[in-house]
Amino acid sequence: GFGSTTFEPDYAAFYNPITPAEFASISGHFVNHSRTQDSIVRAQITDNKLFKLPGGDAGLALVAEGGHQLWNYVPDTGFATGDFFGYTSSGASFGSRNRYALTSELQLPVFKGFSFDLSARYDDYVLKGQKFSKTTYMVGANYDIVPAFSVRARVGTAFKAPTLSDEFQGASGFYTGATDYYACEQNGIPISTCAIPASGSVFGVTGGNTTLRPVNADVWSAGMTWRATSKLNFDADLLHWKISDEVATKTVDQVLRDEDDCRASPSGAPRLDPSSPTCVQALSQVIRDSLGNITQVDTPKHNVARETLEVLALSAHYLVNAGNVGTFSFEASWTDVLKHELQQFPTDSVLDLLNYPYYFPNGTDFKTKANGSVTWERGNWNSTIYANHVGKSPNYLATLLIEGYATPGAADLPSQTLANFELGYKFRSHLELTGTIINVADALPPADHTYPGTSLQPYNIFNYSNLGRSYRLEVKYHTGK
C-alpha cells in the first residue's frame, strides 16, 4: 500500500544454492582512505612574580601559537557508481586551514582575601575563501569576606571555530528509522500507531558546510563557599550561557516533524508559519517522489541562532574521623536547570525546551539532577556507595505533537535513582583488588506505556539505560617505587 510495489520470488530458483563463483560475482570489498592533520607551534612566557601587591605577587602568562589543520577523505569509487548495495559513504572531501592565537592571563591579588583574574585571547582562522577572527575575554574575582565565607564571580565571552568535519565532510548517506508524520496525518492514521513508511526507515544525507560561522557565547557565573567547619563546606553557583551560531544538525525525526507542522493539515491551516525560516528549511530538506513517498531527508549542519541555558548548582562535602572505625567522606550535589531556550533562526520564535519537549524529543532535559556518595577508609580497606538521581522527564506523548503537555495522555515520568557499590583492599603498596556492583537494586527505566507497540522499547533510549545489575572485579598492580 501507499505506493509500495510487491513482487513474488521465483521459488524454484530461490532455494537453489549459488556457487562460490556466483557469490564472488556479487560480493567484494570497498576501501576508503582518510587523513587528518593538526600541527601546532607554541611559545609560552610566564612570570609568577611580576610585581608586588598587598595581597601577594602578581602573575602573568603569555602564549602564542600557530598551526595548520587538514582534512582529506577519499571513498572507494564504487560508491559513486552504485556498486555497493545497502551501503553509503561520505563523499570525497578535502579542506585545510591555518590558525593563529594569542593568549594572556593576569592574576592580581589586590589585597589579602581579594583577587582578580583577567584573561584575553585572540583567534584567527584562515582558509580558502574564508577568514574569521575573534577576541574573547574573561574577568573573574574572588573575595574572602571572612575566613569561613567567600564569594566569586566571573563574566566573559567564548569562541569556537567549526571543526574540520563540520566544514569539510562530504555528503554522507545513512538509513534510519523514521515516521512519515505528514503521510500519517493525510491518511487519518494516529501518529502514535502509524507505520509509514512500511519499511520503517528512510534514506538520509548529511554533510559539512564551509559557510558555517564560528560559535560565540556570553557567559557569567556567581557563587559562594561556606566553610562551616574545617571538615564541612558548602558551595552554590549560578551559571549562565548565551550561545549564538552553535553548530547543530537536526535529526531526521525532527525534520519530518517540522515538515508536517509546516504543511496544510486535513483539519485546517499549518501549525507553523510556512514562510518561517524553520519551515523553509524543513520543506526543502524532505524530498518526495511523484506518489508522495519520501526518497531522501537532508540534515545538513547549520548554525543555530541562539541558545540560552541557566543552571543552579549546589554541593556539600563533610569529612568524619571515626577513630578506630575509620574515616567517612560524604559528598552531595544537586543541579536545577532554570532556563533552556532555543531559537533556530533569527526570526523564529524562542522555544522553551523545558516546558515544550516536542522541540527536543531525543534526550529531553532533566530539570533536576542529584548525586551523592559515602566513602569509608580504614587501613587497607576502602568502600564507596554512590547514588545518582534524575528528576522527572516527559513521556513519549508529550514529545509527539506540537501541543506538548496539552496532548491527551501527555505527562511526566517519575524520577529515577541508581546506586553503585564498591569495595577495595590494598594487599601491599603495589597490589590492589576492587569489586564493584553497578545498579545494586537492578532498577529499570521508568516504564512509558504511551509508546506504541511498534516501538522496540517502552522508554526513551536517549535518557535512560536498561543495563541491569552487573558485577566487576578489578586487579591493579603498580610497578616501580
Side-chain angles (χ1 to χ4, degrees), residues 236-286:
D237 288 278
L238 179 63
L239 305 103
H240 174 94
W241 299 268
K242 184 178 179 181
I243 308 169
S244 60
D245 292 328
E246 183 178 4
V247 177
T249 303
K250 277 189 180 181
T251 64
V252 167
D253 183 75
Q254 189 60 51
V255 172
L256 293 176
R257 288 167 179 258
D258 289 344
E259 185 222 17
D260 179 37
D261 291 326
C262 296
R263 290 180 178 270
S265 64
S267 58
R271 289 176 286 270
L272 296 178
D273 181 4
S275 63
S276 67
T278 291
C279 284
V280 171
Q281 183 192 62
L283 293 174
S284 68
Q285 289 177 227
V286 181

Side-chain angles (χ1 to χ4, degrees), residues 12 29 31 63 69 78 119 168 236 272 284 296 333 363 385 411-412:
H29 298 85
V31 179
V63 179
Q69 298 173 317
S119 61
F168 301 118
L272 296 178
S284 68
Q296 182 175 308
S333 66
I385 299 174
D412 278 326

Side-chain angles (χ1 to χ4, degrees), residues 357-379:
Y358 169 82
Y359 299 108
F360 204 18
N362 297 328
T364 50
D365 275 351
F366 287 109
K367 190 176 188 303
T368 59
K369 291 183 180 180
N371 61 67
S373 66
V374 180
T375 299
W376 165 74
E377 293 180 312
R378 182 180 184 274

Side-chain angles (χ1 to χ4, degrees), residues 390-471:
V390 294
K392 298 178 180 179
S393 67
N395 65 8
Y396 172 71
L397 278 179
T399 70
L400 188 61
L401 301 173
I402 199 170
E403 289 78 11
Y405 284 110
T407 304
D412 278 326
L413 298 170
S415 59
Q416 182 195 41
T417 301
L418 298 176
N420 300 336
F421 174 76
E422 182 178 284
L423 179 65
Y425 183 78
K426 184 176 291 186
F427 290 92
R428 51 179 63 92
S429 60
H430 297 305
L431 181 63
E432 185 176 359
L433 179 67
T434 304
T436 304
I437 304 175
I438 300 171
N439 191 1
V440 175
D442 200 25
L444 289 171
D448 184 355
H449 298 295
T450 65
Y451 274 98
T454 54
S455 296
L456 298 178
Q457 70 287 315
Y459 66 94
N460 189 327
I461 61 174
F462 298 97
N463 277 356
Y464 305 99
S465 168
N466 65 346
L467 179 66
R469 185 187 299 116
S470 58
Y471 306 88

Side-chain angles (χ1 to χ4, degrees), residues 72-155:
N72 188 25
Y73 183 79
V74 182
D76 194 300
T77 56
F79 287 105
T81 56
D83 291 349
F84 308 120
F85 175 76
Y87 291 91
T88 62
S89 172
S90 296
S93 52
F94 174 85
S96 64
R97 66 188 183 191
N98 296 320
R99 73 176 191 88
Y100 310 93
L102 294 172
T103 306
S104 62
E105 182 175 4
L106 180 63
Q107 294 180 337
L108 300 173
V110 181
F111 54 82
K112 187 175 181 180
F114 182 71
S115 63
F116 273 113
D117 192 330
L118 312 175
S119 61
R121 179 182 175 98
Y122 174 78
D123 286 277
D124 186 62
Y125 287 80
V126 181
L127 58 156
K128 186 176 180 180
Q130 189 179 12
K131 173 182 169 65
F132 47 82
S133 59
K134 180 74 173 183
T135 299
T136 54
Y137 72 90
M138 186 69 67
V139 178
N142 187 88
Y143 181 33
D144 296 329
I145 300 176
V146 293
F149 189 82
S150 61
V151 294
R152 55 186 171 271
R154 67 170 188 160
V155 62

Side-chain angles (χ1 to χ4, degrees), residues 30 37 46 90 107 169 234 295 308 324 326-327 371 431 439 469 479:
F30 54 82
Q37 176 184 314
T46 60
S90 296
Q107 294 180 337
Q169 179 189 347
F234 300 92
T295 59
T308 303
N324 292 333
T327 59
N371 61 67
L431 181 63
N439 191 1
R469 185 187 299 116
T479 60

